Amino acid sequence: MSIDWAEWLNLAIRWFHLTAGIAWIGSSFYFVWLDNHLVPPKSGEASGEVWSVHGGGFYHKQKYQVAPSQMPEDLHWFKWEAYTTWVTGFLLLALVYWVGAASFLIDPAKAALTPMQASGIGAAALVAGWLVYDGLCRSPLGRDDRMLGAAWYAVLVAAAWGLCQIFSARGAYLHVGAIIGTAMVGNVFFVIIPNQRKVVAALVAGEVPDPALGKAAKSRSLHNNYMTLPVLFVMISHHYAMTFGAARPWLVLALLGLTGVAVRHVFNLRHRGQPMGRAMAVVAVLALVSVTYVSAEKATLPARAASAAAGSADWASVQPIFAKHCTTCHAEKPTSDLVTAPPLGVMLDNHAHARMFAARVKKVAVDAEIMPLGNTTGMTKAERETLGRWIEAGAP
């Protein structure tokens, strides 16, 4: 039995990425929660403290706004969670979307790119995203987190729109997520950790640390906190074709990403014990608009397909379409070099199988038009409409 080493490598990197991401996000969320629950200490030089109970024990945590008067003997750093999350995410992006650019990233109907060109554009987008974000933070806008957030959001929406014009929508989504993730790890690598090292060096030297160092690090950490949920949405979005398969996928990403930011803001308000009514209303409206938009856009697609061509479709008319565009992968024994088993267990090599998976075919091949991957077989609009009519008629 042959071993699909590429698939096992994909699994290993993805598992590592998920594990590291949980560790990074968990520590990030915890420290934001901690900051939001600090109260003035009853004694000592700390700026805040909090008592908590977990796992059968009590914990007493204190925060020093700038630094303690003396360097502690044992100091724990939080950085490798961020670094390993980004490295494994980058490797996964390269393995799936750059090495597999012809299948997952390039859309010939949008731009005739070679895999090398598409990968180069993707890599340039990550670098440009960090440079723009860091430049905004260091500009006068960086003095107001709300103004900075609005400007960065506008940049990301523009990036989503632009990438959707040249890449497959699914590939564009993942690259926008990678841009955000790169900005987040850039905050840790270029600002937060270096500033903390300077504070530690000042303490060791017996000097008073610069308060601006801690303030800048805290600001970047807060930015990361608000960017986390949009990145998580991108990570799961490729499982849901109704998002990146919408008529305007960049707008779906913008709406749901903004919903994630609003949800994070609600949690932050709750942790600080502040009223959440207005923020909750904003979340509800954003979520409703997002779902309504996607549903409305998707609902029009079958109607357009049905009206585009008259007549019914039967198995005899769709079987050649399946044979030409689908069954090299989606068969009990695939003939494609890309797979060794039918992806997701979907087989379309006979009437019974095709009828069983008709709803899924409609979702990805008719409505979202994301299959075949990269449309390397050249499935036409007319063929998709024929499939749609066959499925709408009950897949006879």
Side-chain angles (χ1 to χ4, degrees):
M1 182 180 68
S2 62
I3 299 176
D4 190 342
W5 292 108
E7 196 69 10
W8 277 106
L9 179 62
N10 186 314
L11 173 60
I13 296 175
R14 192 179 299 273
W15 197 354
F16 193 3
H17 179 59
L18 179 63
T19 303
I22 290 172
W24 184 18
I25 294 169
S27 63
S28 173
F29 279 13
Y30 172 73
F31 278 104
V32 170
W33 177 93
L34 186 62
D35 270 340
N36 288 333
H37 284 81
L38 291 172
V39 296
K42 299 188 184 312
S43 61
E45 61 176 335
S47 59
E49 67 176 3
V50 63
W51 282 87
S52 57
V53 60
H54 182 75
F58 290 85
Y59 297 80
H60 182 207
K61 292 164 281 291
Q62 294 181 315
K63 178 180 180 179
Y64 297 80
Q65 189 61 45
V66 178
S69 56
Q70 292 184 338
M71 181 68 185
E73 294 182 3
D74 191 14
L75 186 63
H76 296 279
W77 295 74
F78 292 83
K79 56 182 180 179
W80 292 111
E81 301 92 337
Y83 299 161
T84 52
T85 298
W86 187 86
V87 169
T88 53
F90 178 82
L91 291 175
L92 200 57
L93 179 72
L95 178 64
V96 176
Y97 287 91
W98 294 355
V99 174
S103 297
F104 295 103
L105 186 58
I106 297 173
D107 185 341
K110 296 179 180 178
L113 300 173
T114 66
M116 185 66 72
Q117 290 171 333
S119 302
I121 293 172
L126 305 191
V127 175
W130 163 251
L131 293 177
V132 171
Y133 165 74
D134 189 55
L136 289 173
C137 290
R138 298 178 188 279
S139 74
L141 284 175
R143 300 168 190 164
D144 187 329
D145 284 332
R146 290 172 297 182
M147 294 296 294
L148 173 64
W152 178 230
Y153 176 73
V155 170
L156 291 174
V157 173
W161 178 86
L163 291 173
C164 280
Q165 306 310 303
I166 56 176
F167 290 159
S168 69
R170 181 178 174 181
Y173 268 39
L174 267 293
H175 277 77
V176 172
I179 290 172
I180 301 173
T182 298
M184 293 173 66
V185 80
N187 281 338
V188 176
F189 186 80
F190 293 111
V191 180
I192 297 174
I193 294 301
N195 284 14
Q196 290 175 342
R197 291 192 182 281
K198 292 175 183 177
V199 169
V200 170
L203 282 175
V204 172
E207 303 171 352
V208 178
D210 183 359
L213 295 172
K215 183 179 180 181
K218 176 59 181 175
S219 179
R220 297 295 184 107
S221 179
L222 182 64
H223 297 173
N224 282 2
N225 179 252
Y226 278 98
M227 287 190 278
T228 300
L229 292 186
V231 170
L232 289 178
F233 163 70
V234 171
M235 287 176 64
I236 65 172
S237 66
H238 66 278
H239 293 289
Y240 302 95
M242 74 278 195
T243 58
F244 58 84
R248 298 177 183 82
W250 62 271
L251 184 55
V252 175
L253 179 58
L255 290 171
L256 290 174
L258 190 58
T259 302
V261 171
V263 168
R264 186 65 246 174
H265 186 59
V266 168
F267 274 93
N268 289 340
L269 291 177
R270 181 178 180 276
H271 294 162
R272 290 196 292 264
Q274 296 180 3
M276 301 179 294
R278 185 177 300 176
M280 286 290 288
V282 170
V283 171
V285 169
L286 283 172
L288 180 62
V289 169
S290 302
V291 174
T292 301
Y293 167 77
V294 175
S295 300
E297 284 289 311
K298 302 299 290 181
T300 62
L301 290 173
R304 289 201 299 267
S307 62
S312 60
D314 55 15
W315 173 245
S317 62
V318 298
Q319 191 277 332
I321 298 175
F322 283 119
K324 179 181 179 182
H325 302 290
C326 310
T327 57
T328 54
C329 294
H330 293 284
E332 185 176 356
K333 295 181 179 180
T335 58
S336 172
D337 295 333
L338 300 176
V339 298
T340 56
L344 302 178
V346 176
M347 293 184 288
L348 305 171
D349 48 358
N350 59 49
H351 186 198
H353 286 158
R355 186 171 186 175
M356 181 187 305
F357 295 107
R360 188 173 297 184
V361 171
K362 179 177 181 296
K363 181 182 296 184
V364 299
V366 180
D367 293 349
E369 298 186 8
I370 59 171
M371 294 294 288
L373 288 174
N375 200 19
T376 54
T377 60
M379 181 181 281
T380 66
K381 186 70 174 178
E383 288 174 321
R384 296 183 191 278
E385 292 167 356
T386 299
L387 282 177
R389 293 199 309 276
W390 177 69
I391 297 169
E392 288 289 329

